[in-house]
Amino acid sequence: MSMSSKQKHLRCTMSPRDSKKLEEISSSLNQHYEDKVRPCIDLVDSLRSLGVEKDLSLPAIAVIGDQSSGKSSVLEALSGVALPRGTGIVTRCPLVLKLKRVEAGVAWSGILSYQGQLKILQKPEDVGHAVSNAQVALAGQGKGISHEMIALEIKSSNVPDLTLIDLPGIARVATGDQPVDIEKQIKDLIEKFIKRQETISLVVVPANIDIATTEALKMASKVDPHGQRTLGILTKPDLVDKGAEETVVSTVNNQVIPLKKGYMMVKCRGQQDINANLSLAKALQNERDFFEQHPHFRPLLEEEKATVPLLAQRLTKELVEHIGRSLPHLKNQIEKKLDGTAMKLKQLGEGVPQEENDKKNFLIEKINAFNQVLADVMRAEEDIKNSDTRVFTKIRDEFGKWKAQLDKKTNTFEENLRDEVEEYTRIRRGKELPGFINYRTFENIVRKHVEELEEPALKLLRDITDIVHSSLNDIANPNFEAYPNLLRAAKEPIEDLREQEYEKAKERVRAQFKMERMVYSQDGLYSWKLEAVKMKPETARPFLTKVISADVREMAQHLRAYFSITSDRLANQVPLIVQYHVLHQYIAQLQTAMLAIIGEKDAVKLIQEDSDLARRRVLARERLERLRRARQVLSKFVHSAS
């Protein structure tokens, strides 16, 4: 038994005094419910009226259905007004239907708005004509559609607190003067709304057809495969063939194509009812009589799965709960969009001043700001976003890889040392007795291994040059994005100096390896290192335990001592050369080149703005203001709710 049925039963068995008390309690509960419902819906309506949907998705219920599914009739029954009717595509623009319930006795009122235009509606009969005119203004006289939205706000004591978005009915084939791709156009428009996680899809389907064949339900299933955000509405139950009623009941009971939110059934005015001037109020009474008297569908009414009034209650509940769940994400999205827009506006700047002197100062400020960022990069102190890494941190990682490569080379060197020494002594050994070192052999082995490190060192130089070059471009782009001429002027030294400092560093790295072929170390340092090698247990170096001849053993110890010194030297010297040229000198020369731009003739022409920059700045400012107001509205709501 439904709540309303229970209340009726109680009233029949209560005294007048108790019955009156129940009415008071019921009225109090309804008022409490409305006090919670209306602010939630008003919040989203306010955000939508601010235009926030241009920036992020808002919680909504979108009404979709195939042509002639009864979608318009459902909306008429909910709103109490006659919307445009006819054959083919009737809804040609998204229609935001805002229903606001007022106290009994308050006069009906309506407001239609689109593209900044506002029309006050005096009576319900004015709605259909006003919506048709708005659609013509937005979508033209033909049968095309438009993505521009029309907002219709209705205040009445006979409507629920609810906001719906009515979308065009799905056309299968273009007819008459419709565009040949009308089906695709409509589906693209519908999908734009229902693919959003913030949207509940209200799918309207005639009860007298196979629900699995409806295009609207297929579209909803595509973007919501588990039916989490989909509610099905079956219409035209009076047209169901005899014998098919149980299948329809099974559908409404979620046993055919299950949806998380399930199904409801309604019976609205048909064309014959409209021709007979059947009022909406009378139609609602006829609907209730139909379900109460129907042997198969009556249980649906008792389970609150049928009639327009129960649908209105269900939709209001669904919308309010959906808004409540969406608020934390909505708040985060607004903050994220605000930060992004503020950053974008900062990049676009305030605009170039008009006075010549002011223009010169403006140019100086821009270049000084850029040079300051470069200085911060050089000192490894630049500001970075959470997902970014400082330039020197990237360089340090590459230097670490270079040291690891040297260590690996040392290990490989030791592993192959026995064979190399034996080979050299077998082929090149002179008159010396065993245990004496052939210095030429020692030099040749050292030089061979040092030469193998030159190409990895040059690769290190190339990699770090690319890192710094890419980073400088990443700095220049946002700093000078608004001024293409200045950006081009900055890119020239970035490219030229890159090549210049790379070649200088390359020459010095090669010179370093030429010097390494000389084979040199301080006597004291070498003696200390050699002693350390000799003191190390041979078990720590398995290859030496297999060495038999004294000269091979002696040569191996000397080579290991010297290569350890060389490796330590290269581990520091190569990074110093690379860092000096492709970080410090590159940036210092670039700073000088940027300052030189200021003194050039007609330098102020470099800050001429991009042709559409002013438009982008205006749009960014509008978005920033829109989002700030949205944050205020949301904060006010959260504060009042708490």
Side-chain angles (χ1 to χ4, degrees):
M1 187 180 293
S2 67
M3 183 59 69
S4 58
S5 299
K6 289 177 182 178
Q7 289 176 348
K8 288 179 181 178
H9 176 73
L10 284 170
R11 289 193 189 100
C12 291
T13 58
M14 281 182 178
S15 66
R17 182 178 178 182
D18 289 338
S19 180
K20 183 178 181 182
K21 188 173 182 179
L22 179 63
E23 290 285 357
E24 291 174 354
I25 293 172
S26 177
S27 176
S28 176
L29 289 173
N30 288 338
Q31 184 61 45
H32 177 69
Y33 178 71
E34 290 181 5
D35 289 344
K36 293 190 67 176
V37 166
R38 189 68 257 165
C40 278
I41 299 175
D42 282 344
L43 168 66
V44 175
D45 287 347
S46 297
L47 294 175
R48 187 173 285 113
S49 65
L50 288 174
V52 173
E53 275 190 314
K54 296 176 183 177
D55 315 304
L56 46 87
S57 300
L58 295 174
I61 297 179
V63 188
I64 65 173
D66 294 13
Q67 280 187 4
S68 304
S69 62
K71 182 167 63 71
S72 295
S73 298
V74 172
L75 293 172
E76 284 182 356
L78 290 168
S79 64
V81 297
L83 296 169
R85 279 178 172 268
T87 58
I89 304 172
V90 179
T91 303
R92 300 199 290 135
C93 306
L95 174 66
V96 182
L97 186 59
K98 305 176 185 178
L99 306 178
K100 295 189 176 184
R101 187 175 182 179
V102 295
E103 294 179 359
V106 176
W108 183 97
S109 66
I111 300 175
L112 184 78
S113 59
Y114 62 94
Q115 286 188 335
Q117 298 188 45
L118 202 68
K119 182 175 179 59
I120 306 299
L121 306 176
Q122 303 297 333
K123 53 185 183 299
E125 292 75 17
D126 297 338
V127 171
H129 186 63
V131 172
S132 294
N133 289 341
Q135 291 189 146
V136 170
L138 296 177
Q141 287 285 354
K143 294 295 183 181
I145 64 169
S146 169
H147 287 232
E148 291 284 342
M149 298 184 76
I150 300 171
L152 173 61
E153 180 180 304
I154 294 173
K155 293 182 180 180
S156 169
S157 59
N158 297 318
V159 298
D161 280 310
L162 184 63
T163 296
L164 303 168
I165 300 177
D166 181 26
L167 298 172
I170 301 171
R172 301 295 183 97
V173 181
T175 59
D177 56 354
Q178 292 177 351
V180 292
D181 64 339
I182 189 63
E183 180 183 8
K184 182 180 183 303
Q185 286 188 34
I186 292 174
K187 286 184 176 180
D188 288 346
L189 172 58
I190 291 173
E191 187 171 334
K192 184 177 78 170
F193 282 88
I194 66 174
K195 72 180 180 181
R196 302 168 181 166
Q197 292 301 309
E198 294 80 8
T199 300
I200 294 174
S201 298
L202 188 63
V203 183
V204 181
V205 181
N208 61 330
I209 66 171
D210 181 1
I211 190 171
T213 66
T214 61
E215 199 65 29
L217 192 58
K218 289 179 183 177
M219 288 192 67
S221 299
K222 178 183 175 183
V223 298
D224 181 30
H226 302 296
Q228 301 279 354
R229 302 182 288 108
T230 306
L231 174 63
I233 305 297
L234 270 61
T235 59
K236 307 180 181 180
D238 52 320
L239 300 183
V240 174
D241 293 334
K242 288 185 178 181
E245 295 92 348
E246 289 302 325
T247 301
V248 174
V249 171
S250 296
T251 299
V252 179
N253 286 329
N254 220 15
Q255 296 169 352
V256 178
I257 300 180
L259 299 175
K260 191 74 173 180
K261 295 187 179 299
Y263 296 82
M264 291 193 71
M265 182 186 285
V266 295
K267 179 184 178 299
C268 305
R269 292 191 307 176
Q271 192 59 49
Q272 289 184 348
D273 295 327
I274 294 171
N275 294 339
N277 293 321
L278 182 71
S279 69
L280 288 168
K282 181 60 176 174
L284 290 176
Q285 183 58 53
N286 289 352
E287 177 193 43
R288 186 167 191 88
D289 293 342
F290 172 82
F291 283 109
E292 286 181 341
Q293 297 166 13
H294 200 288
H296 296 281
F297 299 155
R298 183 172 56 249
L300 299 178
L301 176 61
E302 295 172 352
E303 295 167 8
E304 298 189 347
K305 294 180 181 179
T307 73
V308 170
L310 290 176
L311 171 63
Q313 291 180 23
R314 172 72 185 281
L315 292 178
T316 299
K317 180 176 178 290
E318 289 284 354
L319 181 57
V320 172
E321 290 179 351
H322 188 52
I323 292 171
R325 288 192 298 268
S326 303
L327 284 183
H329 177 68
L330 186 59
K331 183 176 182 296
N332 291 336
Q333 285 293 99
I334 290 176
E335 293 298 335
K336 185 177 179 180
K337 293 282 185 179
L338 266 172
D339 291 342
T341 305
M343 179 64 69
K344 185 67 176 177
L345 196 55
K346 183 179 179 182
Q347 292 171 2
L348 293 172
E350 294 297 322
V352 180
Q354 299 300 313
E355 297 294 330
E356 288 301 314
N357 288 338
D358 293 338
K359 286 182 179 180
K360 190 66 175 285
N361 291 333
F362 184 81
L363 174 62
I364 293 171
E365 289 175 5
K366 287 293 175 185
I367 289 178
N368 283 342
F370 177 64
N371 278 354
Q372 181 58 53
V373 178
L374 296 181
D376 292 341
V377 169
M378 193 189 300
R379 293 193 297 266
E381 296 176 354
E382 73 268 29
D383 290 332
I384 57 171
K385 298 176 182 177
N386 293 335
S387 59
D388 291 342
T389 305
R390 280 182 170 152
V391 176
F392 194 77
T393 302
K394 297 176 184 177
I395 293 174
R396 187 190 296 276
D397 288 344
E398 295 301 318
F399 289 162
K401 293 175 185 177
W402 166 243
K403 180 63 169 68
Q405 198 166 15
L406 289 171
D407 293 342
K408 182 179 180 182
K409 179 66 176 175
T410 301
N411 293 334
T412 305
F413 172 74
E414 291 187 359
E415 290 170 4
N416 300 328
L417 196 54
R418 177 176 176 272
D419 293 339
E420 287 192 55
V421 173
E422 286 187 339
E423 177 70 13
Y424 269 96
T425 55
R426 184 177 64 80
I427 296 174
R428 302 183 184 185
R429 181 176 173 183
K431 296 171 61 178
E432 64 271 13
L433 294 172
F436 288 90
I437 298 175
N438 184 306
Y439 188 71
R440 182 62 57 85
T441 299
F442 173 82
E443 280 187 321
N444 287 337
I445 293 176
V446 167
R447 286 170 180 164
K448 173 181 177 293
H449 284 280
V450 167
E451 286 172 359
E452 290 175 354
L453 289 171
E454 184 170 351
E455 182 51 40
L458 292 175
K459 182 180 183 302
L460 172 69
L461 169 61
R462 289 193 297 271
D463 291 344
I464 292 180
T465 302
D466 289 343
I467 288 172
V468 177
H469 174 256
S470 176
S471 298
L472 295 184
N473 275 320
D474 289 343
I475 294 168
N477 287 331
N479 273 271
F480 303 138
E481 178 186 18
Y483 318 99
N485 294 334
L486 183 56
L487 181 59
R488 281 193 293 271
K491 288 294 182 73
E492 288 182 10
I494 288 175
E495 297 301 322
D496 294 343
L497 292 170
R498 173 190 185 277
E499 189 64 25
Q500 176 182 308
E501 293 303 321
Y502 170 77
E503 289 299 327
K504 287 181 181 178
K506 182 178 178 182
E507 184 178 343
R508 291 192 64 176
V509 169
R510 284 182 168 169
Q512 180 68 34
F513 277 90
K514 286 179 181 178
M515 289 187 285
E516 292 295 343
R517 295 187 187 100
M518 293 171 59
V519 185
Y520 172 78
S521 172
Q522 289 284 350
D523 291 347
L525 176 61
Y526 181 75
S527 297
W528 175 83
K529 184 67 72 173
L530 180 61
E531 188 66 24
V533 169
K534 289 181 177 181
M535 292 293 291
K536 191 172 184 179
E538 290 187 358
T539 54
R541 303 192 302 280
F543 73 95
L544 283 180
T545 62
K546 300 177 182 179
V547 176
I548 299 174
S549 60
D551 52 352
V552 171
R553 180 190 302 274
E554 186 74 13
M555 178 73 77
Q557 291 173 339
H558 279 273
L559 285 169
R560 188 172 186 277
Y562 185 80
F563 199 78
S564 177
I565 294 170
T566 303
S567 178
D568 289 344
R569 188 160 57 210
L570 289 174
N572 288 312
Q573 189 63 18
V574 172
L576 274 174
I577 293 170
V578 173
Q579 185 183 165
Y580 174 75
H581 282 287
V582 301
L583 182 65
H584 287 259
Q585 284 298 100
Y586 187 5
I587 288 179
Q589 297 278 7
L590 178 58
Q591 288 174 315
T592 302
M594 294 304 298
L595 290 174
I597 289 175
I598 298 172
E600 293 179 2
K601 185 180 179 181
D602 298 328
V604 293
K605 291 183 178 179
L606 294 175
I607 54 174
Q608 182 178 352
E609 291 186 333
D610 184 63
S611 58
D612 70 337
L613 180 65
R615 180 186 61 83
R616 286 188 287 149
R617 187 183 293 112
V618 168
L619 291 176
R621 284 173 177 164
E622 288 177 351
R623 170 182 280 192
L624 191 66
E625 178 60 24
R626 187 164 59 236
L627 290 168
R628 282 173 176 168
R629 291 173 66 186
R631 180 170 62 183
Q632 290 174 355
V633 169
L634 188 56
S635 298
K636 185 177 179 181
F637 171 82
V638 172
H639 178 73
S640 62
S642 61

